[in-house]
Amino acid sequence: MGAVNANPGRVAGIVIASTRAAAGTYPDASAPLIAQWLATRGFELLPAQIVPDGENVRIALQSLLNQHPAVIITSGGTGLSADDVTPEMTLPLLEREIPGIMEAIRAAGAVKTPTAALSRGYAGVAGRTFVLNLPGSAGGIRDGLAVLAPMLDHICDQLEGSHEH
């Protein structure tokens, strides 16, 4: 069965925090993985923004927030390296955190990879946009999206003011 357009009119943005991918010295595989996942759920996609770690992440997030998408998913910059600052760039933009989502993502990932517990990302709300920080690894992205899958429609419905689900 093909993609189900469960979210007509809902728009999503992607920010990849990777200095090497932004410079073109390393191919980005994260944005296509996230984009495919969102597209199969019926989201229209804004162009993915692949930016160097650091302040560029905040600028990209703010740019996307100004377009009022339903969802923004970031990947990368959630570890312990000095330039892993995606959480620090994200948190000031959030009006409300949703800590249970990140707790669930870290717990699910830690079953397979104990270092998943080191991911420092945030999940939260900025206006009517749901924002989620995922790690940069393909496995971490897949684990995070698997946790998000059963709740994303409900999150969007609530942010749009619908409480039917």
Side-chain angles (χ1 to χ4, degrees), residues 70-111:
V71 176
I72 298 172
I73 297 178
T74 75
S75 174
T78 63
L80 300 176
S81 297
D83 63 350
D84 285 338
V85 295
T86 298
E88 289 77 12
M89 296 297 111
T90 303
L91 186 59
L93 302 175
L94 299 179
E95 295 162 16
R96 294 180 285 165
E97 288 182 61
I98 312 172
I101 292 175
M102 295 313 300
E103 292 163 8
I105 289 172
R106 284 188 280 267
V111 170

Side-chain angles (χ1 to χ4, degrees), residues 1-12 35-45 70 152-153 156-157 160 165:
M1 192 161 130
V4 175
N5 193 7
N7 299 302
R10 285 186 179 158
V11 175
Q36 179 183 15
W37 186 86
L38 288 163
T40 62
R41 281 153 184 78
F43 284 85
E44 297 174 28
L45 300 174
L152 184 58
D153 286 342
C156 291
D157 288 345
E160 292 166 359
H165 293 273

Side-chain angles (χ1 to χ4, degrees), residues 38-151:
L38 288 163
T40 62
R41 281 153 184 78
F43 284 85
E44 297 174 28
L45 300 174
L46 296 169
Q49 298 196 32
I50 303 171
V51 299
D53 292 296
E55 181 68 14
N56 292 293
V57 174
R58 185 194 62 75
I59 293 166
L61 283 168
Q62 189 62 65
S63 173
L64 285 173
L65 286 169
N66 290 341
Q67 298 176 63
H68 307 288
V71 176
I72 298 172
I73 297 178
T74 75
S75 174
T78 63
L80 300 176
S81 297
D83 63 350
D84 285 338
V85 295
T86 298
E88 289 77 12
M89 296 297 111
T90 303
L91 186 59
L93 302 175
L94 299 179
E95 295 162 16
R96 294 180 285 165
E97 288 182 61
I98 312 172
I101 292 175
M102 295 313 300
E103 292 163 8
I105 289 172
R106 284 188 280 267
V111 170
K112 300 175 190 173
T113 308
T115 56
L118 301 177
S119 181
R120 303 177 310 104
Y122 288 103
V125 176
R128 290 183 172 221
T129 301
F130 170 67
V131 181
L132 174 66
N133 297 149
L134 292 177
S137 70
I141 292 168
R142 284 188 196 96
D143 289 346
L145 295 177
V147 170
L148 183 61
M151 63 182 94

